[in-house]
Amino acid sequence: FAMRLYYGCLYFQSGLSKVLLSGPAWADGRTLRGSWAELGNRAGKWLSRRPMTVAAAASAATLAFELLFPVAQIALRKHPRAVGLSSLAFHASTKATMGISFWHHAVHALPLFVLDPGAERHTARLLRAFRER
């Protein structure tokens, strides 16, 4: 539970930082559109040339996702896979549009939310067996 809460707080901190530093204007799409244009891969650059409403919707969705992730963890505590898969989808969309994977954060969604608890023990056994070779 503590690790899941920590994971959620990382998203919350990111959203809160956007709001505190830029205010609600962060959701108007200009920042994301500029990031797509400057940092984006082919999909990101394509999105940067779409109407501003596309970037505004994606920006608002990003803020909502980040700020509400801890709430979703509690509200969906009986459905942790949905929470984890939403995290993986968020990171997949960032990778698909800007080439930024945040794999070092996203990878934790698997053991924390998606995989069965027994998978951790099985993985540990496999790693020990490999190390003993």
Side-chain angles (χ1 to χ4, degrees):
F1 175 77
M3 290 302 296
R4 285 180 177 181
L5 184 60
Y6 175 74
Y7 189 86
C9 285
L10 291 174
Y11 284 123
F12 183 78
Q13 177 275 327
S14 181
L16 187 61
S17 177
K18 288 174 177 77
V19 171
L20 292 177
L21 295 176
S22 300
W26 194 91
D28 69 8
R30 288 179 294 160
T31 301
L32 184 55
R33 188 181 208 187
S35 295
W36 282 337
E38 187 174 325
L39 304 171
N41 53 24
R42 182 179 290 189
K45 292 189 185 319
W46 181 84
L47 284 168
S48 74
R49 295 186 299 271
R50 304 287 61 88
M52 185 60 83
T53 53
V54 173
S59 295
T62 295
L63 274 180
F65 175 82
E66 290 177 338
L67 293 172
L68 297 174
F69 194 87
V71 174
Q73 287 179 281
I74 294 166
L76 298 171
R77 67 185 166 276
K78 293 185 180 183
H79 305 285
R81 281 196 176 104
V83 175
L85 291 173
S86 74
S87 172
L88 293 172
F90 178 77
H91 290 289
S93 68
T94 303
K95 175 71 173 165
T97 60
M98 289 193 273
I100 303 169
S101 69
F102 287 107
W103 67 267
H104 56 283
H105 180 68
V107 71
H108 299 291
L110 291 171
L112 287 173
F113 300 103
V114 178
L115 299 175
D116 290 322
E120 295 170 24
R121 289 185 294 279
H122 180 67
T123 303
R125 272 195 311 273
L126 287 173
L127 290 173
R128 277 194 298 279
F130 180 74
R131 187 178 62 203
E132 292 171 0
R133 288 184 184 186

